[in-house]
Amino acid sequence: MRLTGQPGNWGPYADWEAGIRLLRRSVDLGVNLIDTARSYGAGWNEKLIADALAPYPPGLVIATKGGIEKVAPGQVKVDGRPQTLRKHVEEALVQLRTERIDLFQLHRPDPTVPLEESIGALAQLQAQGKLRWIGVSNVDLHQLEAARRVATITSVQNRCNQFDAPDEAVLAYCQREGIAYLPHGPLAAHAHVAGAPIVQAGGSATSALRWLLERAPNVIVIPGTTSLAHLEENMNAWAT
């Protein structure tokens, strides 16, 4: 999400070539999952990933999300209608330059659309070979269970870090059921303690990521960065 235009994660990343170098370096360092979404730059982040990495090397998972439209800087509109999700998948296939999306996650349940209809549309696209796995994001336990009645759910992406307590019921459920748990906001970028960013106030990015990794074996962290040095620091969470 950081590799988008600013402010408001709107439009293309200002230094496109630097973004390409960062993404390629991440793969060189052993990153094997890259998380994006239609709303990151209003589609521009998917295009940047494709410019950097397509055709994708074996073992690299590209995860994207749909069901949210970025309508202006910092402004999104939830739309989980089946016809919208089909459109989002088709456009992501083009922007990511792939014939099948590894992991497509419903970005947020739409309160105006039954969740079963949204997930059902993704299940149909999966049956057509356009999606490998289906995930959900920003869900509670009831919503997760409802989604699983319609399709096999591979991942959950909810906000979780040292200062934003996770929904323990969802985390425990995912661990028990073998569902990958991808905490977004792992470095608490938007949280503050006494006016200071959380990581600066509470410790290093490495320690924050390690705290998440130690929560459960199904946790996969997805820290964002625009810095090669920061990327390499993040990777230390695995090495120490």
Side-chain angles (χ1 to χ4, degrees):
M1 186 173 67
R2 302 284 175 239
L3 295 174
T4 55
Q6 300 299 325
N9 302 314
W10 177 256
Y13 186 53
D15 193 338
W16 197 261
E17 292 303 317
I20 288 175
R21 290 194 296 272
L22 181 70
L23 286 162
R24 290 176 176 171
R25 179 59 177 158
S26 73
V27 174
D28 289 342
L29 290 173
V31 169
N32 59 11
L33 184 146
I34 294 178
D35 174 79
T36 185
R38 177 186 180 86
S39 64
Y40 297 173
W44 281 100
N45 191 246
E46 291 177 331
K47 295 176 183 178
L48 177 61
I49 289 168
D51 270 6
L53 300 172
Y56 305 104
L60 177 63
V61 173
I62 305 297
T64 192
K65 297 180 284 293
I68 282 182
E69 288 282 7
K70 177 82 76 170
V71 296
Q75 297 182 31
V76 296
K77 177 183 177 182
V78 180
D79 189 344
R81 293 174 296 168
Q83 61 267 36
T84 298
L85 289 169
R86 286 191 287 268
K87 175 177 179 285
H88 289 184
V89 167
E90 294 294 348
E91 293 182 356
L93 287 166
V94 173
Q95 290 175 167
L96 288 170
R97 296 184 215 159
T98 185
E99 295 181 355
R100 183 181 68 171
I101 296 168
D102 293 320
L103 174 61
F104 190 93
Q105 301 171 104
L106 179 67
H107 205 151
R108 186 180 303 166
D110 185 339
T112 69
V113 177
L115 183 61
E116 293 82 358
E117 292 185 13
S118 299
I119 300 300
L122 297 181
Q124 291 176 354
L125 291 161
Q126 185 182 47
Q128 295 168 12
K130 296 180 179 181
L131 309 177
R132 183 180 181 187
W133 295 310
I134 296 171
V136 290
S137 182
N138 300 301
V139 294
D140 59 27
L141 183 56
H142 174 75
Q143 292 167 328
L144 174 55
E145 290 176 329
R148 292 191 77 204
R149 288 193 288 269
V150 180
T152 298
I153 300 300
T154 297
S155 67
V156 169
Q157 188 172 145
N158 283 358
R159 186 169 177 84
C160 174
N161 53 62
Q162 287 175 294
F163 296 88
D164 290 310
D167 185 329
E168 294 291 349
V170 172
L171 181 57
Y173 182 93
C174 289
Q175 183 177 358
R176 184 172 67 250
E177 298 296 321
I179 298 170
Y181 188 90
L182 283 62
H184 69 77
L187 300 179
H190 300 294
H192 289 75
V193 170
I198 287 295
V199 169
Q200 292 181 16
S204 69
T206 300
S207 64
L209 295 176
R210 190 181 306 119
W211 179 86
L212 285 166
L213 291 169
E214 291 173 350
R215 289 299 306 270
N218 60 317
V219 169
I220 302 171
V221 293
I222 47 171
T225 184
T226 60
S227 161
L228 285 169
H230 187 198
L231 168 67
E232 293 175 358
E233 178 188 353
N234 289 344
M235 293 302 293
N236 287 332
W238 284 265
T240 56

